[in-house]
Amino acid sequence: ARNTAPSGALVVSKSPSSGQYSTVQAAVNALPDDGSEQTIFIETGTLTIRTGTYDEQVYIDRSGMLTIMGETANTANYESNVVTISNSLSAASAGSDDASGTLRVHKDDFALYNVNVKNTFGQGSQALALSAYGTNHGYYGSGFYSYQDTVLAEQGAQYYGYCYIEGAVDFIFGQHGFAFFQRSTIASVGPGAITADGPASKTDGLFVINESTIEQSSAATEDLTGLVYLGRPWTEYATVAYTSCTLGSIINSAGWEVWSSSEPNTEDVTFVEYDNGGAGSEGTRASFATKLTSNAGYTAAAVLGSDWTSWVDQGYVDQ
């Protein structure tokens, strides 16, 4: 459990007392921008005020390591999360994908624990929950909810452990990110492709989803059997791997789909699977996809770099 703030942390509360903050952004703005290591703890409030939902958009660009922790009865995963940052903003209204994000992290060296992040806009436009621009990002036991473009892993090395990611269309996407999703639940709320990777070259980005469960969200309003794809290529250099995952029946037997009929983007894609199980792992895959006999090249070290154990919380890796 994590019910109290670590020593020295700035505290955000629904019922703030002296020295505390009523919004997450206010706490971020109060941080010294001197490169020092800082922590923000978000609580639900008093016994009479325990909604735990902060309706705001949060932007972070301060220097130095920053850790944000949410109050929870169980730090091991997202299931006991009681703290939520929520906003409703479309990219069409905001002016860009990034500008629509509920949580916008424009910095290196960042960690988020046990916080749910939601963009409640719904269908009709891209609407990000998380916009992550930076390297050495760790997301642990957190939940990310939207419909289209939920998580933007745009650049740098990023680790997602024991998280929940929900969406329908291209809801894990980016152009230059090296992202490793481990032991997480990825849930589709509507038909569409889960990933949309868009690197400018074969060495410009990589998404690996490892030891995770791919399933239909309880919020889905229709049966999604066979209506979901593992990914589609935003550019022809898209590189995505699913390794040792459990793929539910929502996954179409082709596994992967083209970007569009007029622009398939399949000339140089790397769409691979290794050691997956479940009903969605069966069937004849698309001609531009491959099933591997080894996960070489798609391990955490291969994706995040040889120094990954120095900045990824190994307690989540080894649970």
Side-chain angles (χ1 to χ4, degrees), residues 8 15 38 44 65 77 97 113 129 134 141 172 186 195-196 199 242 248 270 276:
S15 52
Q38 299 289 331
T44 57
M65 178 66 199
N77 54 47
D97 273 355
Y113 289 83
I172 297 174
I186 297 171
T195 63
Y242 285 75
T270 302
N276 294 327

Side-chain angles (χ1 to χ4, degrees), residues 229-240:
Y229 294 84
L230 298 173
R232 62 177 184 151
W234 188 3
T235 66
E236 65 179 283
Y237 302 109
T239 305
V240 180

Side-chain angles (χ1 to χ4, degrees), residues 7-46:
S7 177
L10 278 65
V11 177
V12 180
S13 176
K14 297 299 291 185
S15 52
S17 58
S18 177
Q20 297 182 340
Y21 300 87
S22 60
T23 68
V24 180
Q25 188 66 59
V28 171
N29 293 346
L31 293 168
D33 194 14
D34 57 5
S36 60
E37 184 171 344
Q38 299 289 331
T39 301
I40 293 173
F41 176 76
I42 310 173
E43 63 180 28
T44 57
T46 65

Side-chain angles (χ1 to χ4, degrees), residues 8-212:
L10 278 65
V11 177
V12 180
S13 176
K14 297 299 291 185
S15 52
S17 58
S18 177
Q20 297 182 340
Y21 300 87
S22 60
T23 68
V24 180
Q25 188 66 59
V28 171
N29 293 346
L31 293 168
D33 194 14
D34 57 5
S36 60
E37 184 171 344
Q38 299 289 331
T39 301
I40 293 173
F41 176 76
I42 310 173
E43 63 180 28
T44 57
T46 65
L47 291 176
T48 57
I49 306 176
R50 300 192 69 83
T51 63
T53 298
Y54 294 80
D55 295 309
E56 58 178 308
Q57 189 178 30
V58 178
Y59 178 79
I60 306 171
D61 66 351
R62 72 173 298 278
S63 59
M65 178 66 199
L66 174 61
T67 300
I68 298 180
M69 297 179 168
E71 176 185 341
T72 181
N74 182 3
T75 62
N77 54 47
Y78 63 87
E79 294 178 359
S80 297
N81 290 1
V82 292
V83 170
T84 298
I85 303 171
S86 182
N87 194 51
S88 178
L89 181 62
S90 70
S93 296
S96 69
D97 273 355
D98 168 54
S100 75
T102 298
L103 176 61
R104 302 171 63 206
V105 185
H106 283 237
K107 67 181 303 300
D108 296 337
D109 305 315
F110 177 76
L112 182 74
Y113 289 83
N114 302 107
V115 176
N116 294 330
V117 181
K118 298 184 178 182
N119 190 322
T120 60
F121 177 80
Q123 300 185 44
S125 173
Q126 297 93 332
L128 278 62
L130 172 67
S131 181
Y133 281 71
T135 197
N136 294 10
H137 283 201
Y139 298 90
Y140 309 100
S142 293
F144 304 96
Y145 301 75
S146 187
Y147 190 89
Q148 183 172 351
D149 291 12
T150 304
V151 169
L152 172 57
E154 178 60 10
Q155 65 187 47
Q158 301 180 13
Y159 177 88
Y160 298 76
Y162 292 85
C163 288
Y164 178 88
I165 303 173
E166 179 179 286
V169 180
D170 304 340
F171 60 102
I172 297 174
F173 77 113
Q175 293 174 294
H176 316 291
F178 290 80
F180 194 79
F181 302 83
Q182 185 173 32
R183 299 177 187 172
S184 294
T185 298
I186 297 171
S188 289
V189 72
I194 294 170
T195 63
D197 188 30
S201 71
K202 292 307 294 182
T203 60
D204 196 31
L206 169 61
F207 292 164
V208 173
I209 299 171
N210 177 60
E211 296 179 349
S212 296

